[in-house]
Amino acid sequence: MKRTFSERLAILSDAAKYDASCASSGSDRRGSTRQPGLGSTERSGICHSWTPDGRCVSLLKILMTNFCVYDCAYCINRASSGVERARFSVEEIVWLTMEFCRRNYIEGLFLSSGIIRSSDYTMEELVRVARVLRLDRSFRGYIHLKAIPDASPDLLAEAGLYTDRLSINVEMPTETGLNQYAPEKDAAGIRSAMEHIRKKMDATKEKTLTGRRPPRFAPGGQSTQMIVGADAATDQDILSSSSSLYSDYRLKRVYYSAFSPIPHASQALPARRPPLLREHRLYQADWLFRFYGFQFQEITESRPDGMLDLEVDPKLSWALDNRAIFPVDINQASRELLLRVPGLGPRSVKVLLTTRRHKTIRLDDLERLRVSLRKIRPFITTPDWRPVKLIDRLDLKSLFAPPPQQLSLL
Ligand code: SF4
């Protein structure tokens, strides 16, 4: 039975929702299907993403096809899955993108795909969408393509010319996990494709012999996604893997996606999804080594099982385990030390460093900066505040952790 265009759009946009690497939100928007009005974003496949300068952009997020010749155990679109299948042609995706853009539903496209025929064939089709949009239809919006890791380097190189961002999913945090759940994928191949993209991005910064800059290449950088909780990898394994991806391939973002149980899944996969809080804590830890000067080892070193504390955020957890360095004098401490104080972020530290050049910081100055006094008090001193024995209290964590809850019997 031939599916209608709308049916295929519903299938392919739903199939794309498992990919977190464009940071979509699930926000509800007003529709205008049953009443007159303009500006509806309540259409299949529209998600929201944030650009590096903080703007929120609406993206058409779809798969070109959810047919796939691979059989990755954690994936709803794997070859052995019984899901409904659909496919869009290159021309249909181009038309859809242009029409949605004209109607102001979207400002860009996030396009991924299952692998059909071969990696090169699939990548060629994805690149063709981007090429036609950019060169033939003069599309100026944002394009994020999911690259196929074992596609030819020439195709990856061409993809970067038309896209703002490229991403290659590592999927499993460890090579053991990848071999177990996606044996057709090759961890070395994924890393070599990331390396290739990184070199291409680096090359755009150097002028050629003629003094010209090479054409721009994926100026929004590359990103990846890791599935959390499908295999036995601990948070320490996950953060170790992210840390090396950031440093080796200069990734812009690693996205963590809590594993969602899928119908008729392999027995080896967990039947329940991990707590969403675990995903949240990993994002917080990720920020610590990207913006706060932490080494990933520090974040989990005091955790015997290698898992982040779910009760308090990773920075507070680290501070509670390293009380010997606290309290710090807010008027004397270095930037590096201030960044380790729970409740202070890079922005508030910057303001503190500027302010204390011409004035002594007191507790009410911190309040004016909207710093949480409840969180910061045990860890700092100011001329009008000393935590005395607060920092040594054995039950200090209980002041921050949520109160224990009685489990329901039903
Ligand atoms: S290659 Fe991608 S789409 Fe295909 S089964 Fe694996 S994860 Fe799913």
Side-chain angles (χ1 to χ4, degrees):
M1 186 188 69
K2 193 160 165 39
R3 295 187 197 286
T4 64
F5 195 88
S6 298
E7 284 167 348
R8 284 185 291 147
L9 179 57
I11 292 171
L12 292 172
S13 57
D14 188 66
K17 75 183 179 196
Y18 296 95
D19 200 316
S21 60
C22 78
S24 63
S25 73
S27 61
D28 287 329
R29 293 294 173 114
R30 282 183 295 276
S32 59
T33 42
R34 296 212 184 111
Q35 55 193 2
L38 285 174
S40 164
T41 54
E42 200 178 60
R43 284 283 183 273
S44 283
I46 296 176
C47 72
H48 302 92
S49 182
W50 281 267
T51 59
D53 61 3
R55 281 177 310 124
C56 176
V57 292
S58 310
L59 301 179
L60 170 63
K61 181 180 179 183
I62 47 168
L63 297 190
M64 183 172 72
T65 178
N66 64 343
F67 285 101
C68 190
V69 293
Y70 282 21
D71 203 38
C72 309
Y74 49 79
C75 178
I76 187 88
N77 301 317
R78 68 195 187 282
S80 60
S81 163
V83 287
E84 288 186 291
R85 307 280 178 171
R87 181 178 171 184
F88 276 138
S89 67
V90 168
E91 291 69 30
E92 285 172 324
I93 298 171
V94 169
W95 179 83
L96 197 57
T97 309
M98 295 304 292
E99 288 304 308
F100 271 25
C101 202
R102 252 183 218 119
R103 286 167 172 75
N104 235 0
Y105 296 161
I106 58 161
E107 293 151 270
L109 170 70
F110 171 88
L111 183 63
S112 180
S113 181
I115 297 173
I116 38 172
R117 294 198 210 169
S118 69
S119 299
D120 274 354
Y121 174 79
T122 312
M123 192 68 210
E124 253 173 48
E125 293 284 276
L126 294 173
V127 172
R128 200 149 71 81
V129 171
R131 189 194 309 126
V132 173
L133 279 170
R134 287 283 192 241
L135 303 186
D136 300 348
R137 310 300 294 273
S138 304
F139 179 70
R140 314 273 306 160
Y142 179 87
I143 300 181
H144 179 164
L145 275 198
K146 184 53 56 79
I148 312 290
D150 40 359
S152 112
D154 289 346
L155 286 169
L156 294 180
E158 193 184 352
L161 299 178
Y162 310 126
T163 53
D164 293 277
R165 178 171 281 189
L166 285 172
S167 55
I168 297 180
N169 285 355
V170 293
E171 308 289 13
M172 290 289 129
T174 63
E175 203 170 329
T176 318
L178 195 71
N179 292 339
Q180 182 182 4
Y181 292 120
E184 292 147 307
K185 290 193 172 175
D186 169 29
I190 293 173
R191 286 189 166 247
S192 125
M194 286 177 167
E195 170 79 5
H196 182 68
I197 293 174
R198 184 185 65 82
K199 283 188 177 155
K200 283 281 178 194
M201 289 190 304
D202 288 348
T204 59
K205 297 198 181 95
E206 290 160 18
K207 289 189 178 158
T208 60
L209 289 176
T210 60
R212 287 202 186 141
R213 280 203 185 279
R216 62 176 225 157
F217 186 91
Q222 57 174 331
S223 59
T224 193
Q225 167 180 274
M226 265 186 229
I227 299 172
V228 174
D231 65 349
T234 62
D235 292 343
Q236 189 168 33
D237 299 329
I238 294 170
L239 294 173
S240 156
S241 181
S242 308
S243 160
S244 87
L245 288 169
Y246 280 124
S247 59
D248 297 348
Y249 310 112
R250 291 200 298 103
L251 291 199
K252 265 280 186 307
R253 287 296 300 270
V254 174
Y255 292 94
Y256 306 96
S257 176
F259 168 69
S260 308
I262 48 175
H264 317 296
S266 149
Q267 295 286 314
L269 286 166
R272 300 177 64 178
R273 66 178 299 156
L276 275 179
L277 194 52
R278 184 177 173 199
E279 186 186 289
H280 180 60
R281 293 285 181 241
L282 282 166
Y283 277 114
Q284 290 177 317
D286 181 289
W287 276 62
L288 291 186
F289 55 76
R290 285 167 63 216
F291 303 113
Y292 288 74
F294 280 76
Q295 299 294 314
F296 84 87
Q297 298 92 333
E298 292 178 274
I299 302 170
T300 48
E301 67 191 354
S302 61
R303 308 286 306 168
D305 55 359
M307 301 298 276
L308 294 169
D309 192 336
L310 293 184
E311 290 185 320
V312 293
D313 69 72
K315 189 171 160 195
L316 180 55
S317 172
W318 178 86
L320 291 168
D321 292 334
N322 291 274
R323 296 184 202 193
I325 68 163
F326 297 106
V328 302
D329 183 341
I330 213 92
N331 286 290
Q332 299 291 330
S334 64
R335 176 178 184 273
E336 291 66 34
L337 197 47
L338 288 175
L339 279 172
R340 303 224 160 198
V341 175
L344 291 183
R347 195 171 297 168
S348 47
V349 167
K350 192 173 171 199
V351 178
L352 282 177
L353 291 174
T354 314
T355 313
R356 78 184 190 186
R357 278 196 220 132
H358 51 85
K359 126 182 233 307
T360 304
I361 310 279
R362 304 177 75 84
L363 212 52
D364 50 357
D365 294 317
L366 294 174
E367 202 164 16
R368 272 195 289 277
L369 268 178
R370 302 209 176 154
V371 171
S372 161
L373 292 188
R374 187 179 73 89
K375 203 167 189 181
I376 200 173
R377 265 184 222 259
F379 303 99
I380 56 154
T381 62
T382 59
D384 55 343
W385 167 256
R386 302 201 81 74
V388 200
K389 290 183 180 159
L390 189 55
I391 189 71
D392 296 323
R393 273 177 60 165
L394 291 177
D395 64 344
L396 184 56
K397 183 177 166 185
S398 67
L399 302 184
F400 307 106
Q405 283 185 352
Q406 175 68 52
L407 290 177
S408 161
L409 280 176
L410 301 172

